Amino acid sequence: MNSDAKFWDRAAEKYARSPIKDIKSYEYTLERTRSFLPPHADVLEAGCGTGTTALRLAGSTAHILGTDISAAMIAIARRKLLEPDAPVNVTFEVAALDDESLPEGPFDAVMAFNILHLSRNLDAALAALARRVRPGGLFISKTVCLSDSPYRLLRPVLGLMKLAGKAPHVLFLSRKDLEDRVKAHGFEILETGDFPASPPCHFIVARRMP
């Protein structure tokens, strides 16, 4: 088990109990995502955590497969599937954000919410995700861009916390850099926005070019 999986395994129960910090931005992101998902869509959510978003979006798709590097997170997500009102078109699997682990697909849409800034190799992660999107399909993501906010000053602090095992690996991205990298992997960007605006959690909807 790698260090990232160990970190999120330790954090899983606390993460599951923590309320969503900006519920207005979260709900708006769900609304915009639903507007792009056709009801027949076969969807992959990479970095699904404890499954909340996949479960919330299930009614807008044919099937959602949620994956996460943390087995503890996936265990919590699977427990939610045992609830009486749980949707039946959602499944969860343990998988890292890389070519070897992710299910092959192709999928009509691939989602990656609040995960890309945690990648140790963003271009490799984007390449792996792009290969799972069918031509003409969608890539939908939201990523905190700390380089575009005063939080960039915390980079040394986060580095020390990471060494102490108190913080995960974090990329300090700008919105332009993120968009440029998404486009470099064969996507045409259809919509962007920041929800919330500070620090900017950059929402991107992109279509895979043929």
Side-chain angles (χ1 to χ4, degrees):
M1 182 185 298
N2 68 33
S3 59
D4 294 325
K6 289 179 180 178
F7 177 87
W8 292 110
D9 279 351
R10 292 194 303 269
E13 291 295 339
K14 181 179 179 181
Y15 179 90
R17 294 191 302 268
S18 300
I20 295 170
K21 291 182 179 179
D22 189 332
I23 193 66
K24 182 178 179 181
S25 293
Y26 177 70
E27 294 291 348
Y28 187 72
T29 299
L30 291 180
E31 177 187 329
R32 293 308 304 144
T33 300
R34 287 190 189 99
S35 74
F36 282 96
L37 294 176
H40 66 268
D42 188 18
V43 178
L44 170 67
E45 184 189 2
C48 69
T50 58
T52 298
T53 296
L55 295 167
R56 291 287 305 275
L57 293 174
S60 301
T61 69
H63 180 258
I64 293 183
L65 169 58
T67 65
D68 199 274
I69 194 173
S70 166
M73 293 278 194
I74 292 297
I76 294 169
R78 286 174 174 167
R79 290 205 301 265
K80 294 178 182 179
L81 293 178
L82 301 177
E83 297 175 5
D85 59 347
V88 298
N89 62 333
V90 181
T91 53
F92 295 108
E93 294 181 11
V94 178
L97 194 58
D98 59 46
D99 232 2
E100 290 71 30
S101 300
L102 288 173
E104 284 297 321
F107 296 89
D108 298 302
V110 170
M111 306 184 303
F113 296 125
N114 301 308
I115 185 66
L116 295 181
H117 68 293
L118 302 175
S119 172
R120 292 181 180 271
N121 188 331
L122 178 58
D123 287 310
L126 286 170
L129 294 172
R131 280 190 282 272
R132 270 81 184 164
V133 183
R134 66 166 179 79
L138 296 174
F139 175 62
I140 305 175
S141 66
K142 191 164 85 166
T143 308
V144 64
C145 293
L146 295 173
S147 285
D148 288 339
S149 79
Y151 288 86
R152 64 185 180 274
L153 301 176
L154 295 177
R155 190 168 188 167
V157 176
L158 281 174
L160 292 173
M161 291 177 66
K162 177 187 169 186
L163 289 174
K166 301 296 184 181
H169 174 79
V170 177
L171 291 175
F172 280 70
L173 298 167
S174 70
R175 285 166 286 193
K176 182 181 184 305
D177 182 33
L178 179 61
E179 289 185 18
D180 287 347
R181 293 197 195 196
V182 169
K183 288 186 285 188
H185 288 281
F187 290 103
E188 171 193 15
I189 293 180
L190 305 178
E191 180 176 310
T192 64
D194 296 326
F195 316 114
S198 181
C201 285
H202 201 50
F203 180 68
I204 295 176
V205 180
R207 179 185 291 118
R208 186 183 170 195
M209 303 298 288

